Structure formats: structure tokens, C-alpha cells
Amino acid sequence: LTLLNVPFVFYSADVLSLLFTAAGVFFMTRKSPWVYIAVPFFLLAFYTKQSMVTAPLVAAAYLLIRDRDRQAVIFTGALALGVAAPFAVLDLQSSHGFFTHIVSFNQRDWLYSQFATMVYRVVSLYRYQFIAAGVLVLLQLKERRLSYPILYLLATVPVTLTAGSIGSGRSYTLELG
């Protein structure tokens, strides 16, 4: 977990959400029925830091595309229910303040300069890890297969675009690092 030694991870929510996500990713690499254990970890990561949606979305898509079976549907349904039910209860109990705080207040303008600065810092810090990750991706592409961890890695790249939002912090690049 080289992510945990990032010098700009100050907040316990960031580290805790990364830990939960890492646990979910770990169980996703195991055979059935272990993948179900990933669900609570992904939900804990999401409710610790709401930007941690990449790993569970890629996991659901990966299972649905790869397996197209009952396990994939149950996994995806459990994730959806685990997010939607508490979200709805919290939003209703707060007179829609939960939605306002989590969604509406986070709709901000996007700046290329902020995005470039954030990504430059992460890439500078982890250049050798990025090279190693690139080699792993190329090797898997050569074999015409992509594992869940590699798909998750690839999905973190476009998600990093959120780092350009005004008010975003370096934590928006955590999954990429």
C-alpha cells in the first residue's frame, strides 16, 4: 500500500477510505464467494469518503461483463442497495440536507491549472510506480486479458479529472497514486 505513505494524506478519512477500498479490492481478487465480502468494504469506503466510487463501480461492471451470472447481479444489487437505502434515510431525516451537502455543494467549476498541478505532483512522486503499472497493463493487454485490479487502475485515470474542481484537494488523486 504505497498510497498510505503519500506525504499529503493528512486526514484520517482519506487513509481510512483507502484502507476500506484496498480491502474490497483484495476480496475482489479472490474466488466466489469471497467477492461478496468486498461489498461491505466498498460501502464503508464510500461512506467514509464519497469520492471513493471507482473501485465498486469497476467491480460491479467487471463481474457483470465477465460472469453475467447470479453472483454478479447479487453483488451489484447489494452495492446499489447499500448506497441507496442509507442515502435515502439520511436525506429524508435531514429534510434533504444530506443530498444538498453531498451532491449540490460539490458542484463546482473546473480549472485546468488546478488539475495539471495536482496530477503533476502525484506523477512526480510516483513516477516509477506509474512505469511499473504501465508495464503490467501492457503485459495483460498482450495476453488479451485484463484482471480486476488492472481495470480498476485504468479507471482511476479519468476519475482523476475531478481534481480540477475548484475546492478539490490532493485527496482527489488518492486512487491514482
Side-chain angles (χ1 to χ4, degrees):
L1 287 174
T2 59
L3 293 171
L4 297 180
N5 68 10
V6 177
F8 47 74
V9 176
F10 296 117
Y11 305 105
S12 60
D14 295 341
V15 175
L16 190 57
S17 65
L18 284 172
L19 181 64
F20 289 143
T21 298
V25 170
F26 171 79
F27 285 110
M28 277 300 299
T29 62
R30 303 293 167 246
K31 300 224 184 269
S32 180
W34 289 102
V35 295
Y36 293 123
I37 296 174
V39 172
F41 285 109
F42 287 146
L43 292 174
L44 287 168
F46 173 76
Y47 278 108
T48 304
K49 186 162 182 68
Q50 288 76 30
S51 62
M52 298 302 248
V53 297
T54 311
L57 290 176
V58 172
Y62 176 75
L63 288 175
L64 287 169
I65 292 168
R66 184 193 72 180
D67 297 336
R68 295 188 196 127
D69 65 359
R70 188 169 180 246
Q71 174 184 345
V73 173
I74 292 170
F75 181 90
T76 305
L79 275 176
L81 184 64
V83 169
F87 193 96
V89 168
L90 290 168
D91 194 50
L92 289 172
Q93 289 296 316
S94 64
S95 301
H96 304 295
F98 190 71
F99 177 86
T100 301
H101 177 74
I102 299 297
V103 178
S104 299
F105 288 168
N106 287 301
Q107 295 175 351
R108 302 181 194 111
D109 290 334
W110 190 86
L111 294 174
Y112 174 77
S113 59
Q114 181 165 334
F115 167 73
T117 301
M118 298 278 188
V119 172
Y120 176 77
R121 288 177 182 164
V122 171
V123 171
S124 297
L125 187 62
Y126 290 112
R127 63 183 157 272
Y128 299 115
Q129 286 94 329
F130 280 107
I131 292 168
V135 169
L136 286 173
V137 169
L138 291 174
L139 289 173
Q140 284 208 348
L141 285 173
K142 183 180 175 187
E143 295 175 12
R144 296 184 184 256
R145 70 176 184 92
L146 287 176
S147 65
Y148 167 72
I150 295 296
L151 288 173
Y152 170 50
L153 169 71
L154 293 172
T156 62
V157 174
V159 170
T160 303
L161 289 171
T162 61
S165 299
I166 294 175
S168 67
R170 293 180 182 124
S171 65
Y172 282 61
T173 60
L174 283 177
E175 289 185 292
L176 181 64

